[in-house]
Amino acid sequence: MKTDTAIAEILRREGVDVLFGYPRNRLLEAAAVADIRVVIVRQERTGLHMADAVSRLTRGRKLGAFCMQHGPGAENAYGGVAQAYGESVPVLVMPQGYARRIAHVPHNFNSTIQMAGISKHAEPVTVGAEVPNIFRRAFTQLRNGRLQPVVVEIPHDAFADEVPEPLSYTPVVSTRCGPDPEAVERVADVLVKAQRPVIYAGQGVHWASAYQELRELAELLAIPVCTSLPGKSSFDETHPLALGSGGNAHPKAVPHFLRNADVIFGIGCSFSETAFGIAIPSGKVVIHATLDPLDLNKSVIAQHALLGDAQLTLRALVAACRKRVSTNRDASHVAAEIKSVEAEWMREWLPRLTSDATPLSPYRVLWDLQHTVDVAETIITHDAGSPRDQLMPFWKTTRPLTYIGWGKTTQLGYGLGLAMGAKLVHPEKLCINVWGDAAIGFTGMDFETAVRERLPILSILLNNFSMAIELPVMPKATEKYRATDISGDYAAMARAFGGYGERVTDPAEIAPAIRRGVAQTLAGKPALLEFITAQETRISKF
């Protein structure tokens, strides 16, 4: 069989049932022949974002896959691969490459070389007979250890190569590893004796499906729990021990408890230093439980470390703690402190969250959104900048993987592809992306993809005709050249693409418009609600 047919069969055997891409790449046709759904996007980056969501929302059980043409297609895709790399999401990226005889000739874009720094593994198809071995290595890296993108570049002349039959390929194994038992005992001693411990839960809890174990440990020792931005929704945020998520913006309880902690237990997190995650205060005893040893002492000094899968780590730790604490500790005093700090925070913020002002307060829009939809049956994601900071602190998740959080790198336009990918995985759920008028300028054309591919998502657009967060740092550029001004009638754009579009200016119409938009998605039509908002620059940050 030919190379493209062999690769399509390998994808099918590995459980890939959707291939995102942009022509020309012979894998698109080969995948269709193999009954793998082909989704064509309007730009490469969005397709990678959709593949990213597939991997996240299936916890890697079904891997997102993307292919594109050589040269400009691979060049355009670079940002999407970098985003998945920064967020530690496994995506199989299969760029077409230049013919093998000129693959290394300047100035041809060689994906194997150029994407090596933003992938876990990058390898070209050198000869058709090696295809099974190459993809065995690729899927092994995608399914084991730290989860990140893998690149397999296929020179366009390699598609004509023969692959020996019968195809020698079976799906790869997926492994897990647990922590050192002696280290677990030491950490259990530290946690049991701690006076004011805090759990900081990251995305690894999602990948390991360690939700029950996380809750069991928190309730056993009465430890409050905060999450990283990618870890959001790994712990029920209506639970009495929940602090919320620590991004650039955050609920007041998160820094309050971190600053007053004596022990901080990070589970399934990298503790990476980033402007879009809350800083871990110094002077604390830090326990760092992570899958990747490269995370240790990278940004935060750890006195104790546990290496392994988050679920296996938490199971071992719960068992060790139960030997020291027979019944759940009384959590009432911790819960009361959380409730008190939150009440103080909400007294400060409720005027914005319930404001009747016009232009609309973006906080009012998002507050009404949360109180109009069924949060437990909704998957929501934000975009970069203000939408992320305005949505995340106040949106309380109750079920796992109902919030796609991100922020290690903050490319504008990421949220649309994530919402569309989420809808592919969970067609029964309401899938929402919240973006601003800057983000829609990057990926707005792919709203047409949602219409064409019958992916009825709900897009919440906060339009203030400005890059508002840039106003304080570009005063002269704004005054002299209107450098932060942007504009558009995006509801009309949505209608032009065949979706539902509505512009909202009246605060009394926020909730009714949301209900109309949800109704359109239930009828099978993507909806874009454009809310004309004030140039709000304040965020919840302490």
Side-chain angles (χ1 to χ4, degrees):
M1 65 179 68
K2 298 296 185 184
T3 297
D4 54 352
T5 303
I7 294 173
E9 175 59 21
I10 289 170
L11 297 181
R12 191 188 63 78
R13 292 184 189 182
E14 287 284 3
V16 175
D17 55 11
V18 181
L19 178 61
F20 304 95
Y22 195 87
R24 173 177 300 176
N25 186 309
R26 278 177 53 175
L27 285 182
L28 294 168
E29 180 64 12
V33 171
D35 294 325
I36 296 172
R37 179 176 176 178
V38 171
V39 173
I40 303 297
V41 291
R42 298 298 292 264
Q43 66 148 306
E44 290 82 359
R45 191 159 65 98
T46 299
L48 279 153
H49 298 162
M50 295 177 74
D52 177 321
V54 169
S55 294
R56 287 185 194 237
L57 292 174
T58 64
R59 300 183 183 90
R61 290 169 178 81
K62 285 192 176 181
L63 288 164
F66 180 82
C67 70
M68 63 289 203
Q69 67 171 293
H70 66 289
E75 293 160 17
N76 286 341
Y78 189 95
V81 183
Q83 183 81 59
Y85 181 75
E87 299 300 324
S88 293
V89 179
V91 176
L92 177 59
V93 186
M94 296 172 288
Q96 189 166 275
Y98 285 92
R100 284 166 285 192
R101 66 181 182 83
I102 58 171
H104 293 271
V105 174
H107 295 281
N108 293 335
F109 186 90
N110 186 304
S111 295
T112 304
I113 296 172
Q114 300 301 332
M115 294 183 179
I118 53 167
S119 60
K120 184 178 182 181
H121 175 69
E123 182 176 359
V125 171
T126 52
V127 62
E130 280 297 303
V131 162
N133 294 327
I134 291 167
F135 276 85
R136 191 175 293 111
R137 287 190 285 271
F139 276 101
T140 297
Q141 293 300 318
L142 287 164
R143 296 194 186 280
N144 294 278
R146 190 187 192 98
L147 303 178
Q148 291 175 313
V150 167
V151 175
V152 176
E153 186 176 31
I154 310 156
H156 67 73
D157 61 332
F159 281 118
D161 285 5
E162 292 289 339
V163 179
E165 296 187 69
L167 182 65
S168 176
Y169 190 89
T170 54
V172 305
V173 297
S174 179
T175 63
R176 297 194 298 168
C177 60
D180 177 353
E182 293 181 2
V184 169
E185 295 295 330
R186 289 193 294 270
V187 166
D189 279 337
V190 173
L191 281 178
V192 167
K193 294 174 183 176
Q195 297 300 305
R196 290 185 64 91
V198 172
I199 295 173
Y200 181 89
Q203 186 173 223
V205 176
H206 286 310
W207 292 120
S209 194
Y211 311 114
Q212 179 181 334
E213 292 80 3
L214 174 60
R215 179 170 180 158
E216 190 175 355
L217 179 64
E219 291 177 344
L220 175 64
L221 300 182
I223 305 178
V225 179
C226 68
T227 68
S228 67
L229 189 50
K232 189 175 174 72
S233 82
S234 63
F235 191 79
D236 180 355
E237 291 180 306
T238 63
H239 190 285
L241 290 172
L243 303 176
S245 188
N248 178 43
H250 41 257
K252 191 170 187 177
V254 173
H256 170 85
F257 276 85
L258 287 176
R259 289 167 187 163
N260 289 288
D262 57 346
V263 174
I264 297 174
F265 171 47
I267 175 69
C269 66
S270 66
F271 277 142
S272 295
E273 182 178 351
T274 168
F276 305 101
I278 196 162
I280 302 300
S282 59
K284 312 298 180 183
V285 173
V286 173
I287 304 165
H288 194 175
T290 176
L291 187 65
D292 190 347
L294 293 178
D295 290 335
L296 297 178
N297 295 314
K298 178 178 68 175
S299 302
V300 174
I301 299 172
Q303 286 74 36
H304 302 274
L306 300 174
L307 284 176
D309 171 86
Q311 187 180 68
L312 297 180
T313 298
L314 285 168
R315 282 179 183 173
L317 196 51
V318 168
C321 289
R322 285 202 180 281
K323 290 189 294 186
R324 294 158 171 81
V325 179
S326 56
T327 59
N328 288 2
R329 287 176 170 171
D330 180 12
S332 59
H333 63 293
V334 179
E337 185 177 352
I338 294 171
K339 192 173 182 180
S340 173
V341 175
E342 181 171 3
E344 179 186 349
W345 174 54
M346 291 305 291
R347 281 194 297 271
E348 179 183 353
W349 277 91
L350 267 176
R352 277 182 167 77
L353 297 169
T354 58
S355 171
D356 286 328
T358 55
L360 305 173
S361 163
Y363 289 104
R364 168 69 186 274
V365 173
L366 299 174
W367 186 252
D368 281 7
L369 178 67
Q370 181 171 190
H371 292 87
T372 302
V373 305
D374 183 349
V375 171
E377 293 301 321
T378 296
I379 299 173
I380 192 167
T381 189
H382 54 78
D383 221 291
S386 296
R388 173 194 58 235
D389 294 338
Q390 292 163 355
L391 172 70
M392 192 279 292
F394 302 100
W395 187 277
K396 287 196 172 186
T397 62
T398 59
R399 292 184 183 174
L401 291 178
T402 53
Y403 192 106
I404 306 176
W406 51 276
K408 293 291 196 311
T409 179
T410 57
Q411 297 173 14
L412 284 163
Y414 189 22
L416 175 64
L418 291 177
M420 290 193 290
K423 193 66 178 176
L424 268 171
V425 176
H426 289 292
E428 78 284 2
K429 293 189 181 294
L430 174 64
C431 297
I432 303 174
N433 69 299
V434 178
W435 51 358
D437 45 358
I440 198 171
F442 278 71
T443 58
M445 282 295 294
D446 266 300
F447 189 83
E448 184 272 338
T449 301
V451 175
R452 173 169 36 84
E453 293 291 339
R454 303 175 302 283
L455 299 172
I457 62 169
L458 177 62
S459 275
I460 301 295
L461 176 66
L462 306 174
N463 186 1
N464 58 17
F465 301 101
S466 172
M467 293 182 279
I469 59 174
E470 308 302 337
L471 292 171
V473 296
M474 296 175 64
K476 282 298 180 185
T478 299
E479 178 188 344
K480 294 168 69 174
Y481 306 114
R482 312 310 306 165
T484 58
D485 289 3
I486 43 181
S487 65
D489 186 341
Y490 303 109
M493 180 202 79
R495 294 192 296 271
F497 285 149
Y500 178 80
E502 180 178 349
R503 177 174 277 193
V504 183
T505 58
D506 181 354
E509 280 298 307
I510 295 173
I514 292 167
R515 286 191 285 269
R516 290 191 290 271
V518 171
Q520 289 291 325
T521 68
L522 292 173
K525 181 178 284 192
L528 189 153
L529 302 178
E530 180 183 16
F531 296 93
I532 306 305
T533 62
Q535 294 179 355
E536 176 67 77
T537 58
R538 187 181 177 195
I539 64 172
S540 176
K541 189 170 184 175
F542 301 91

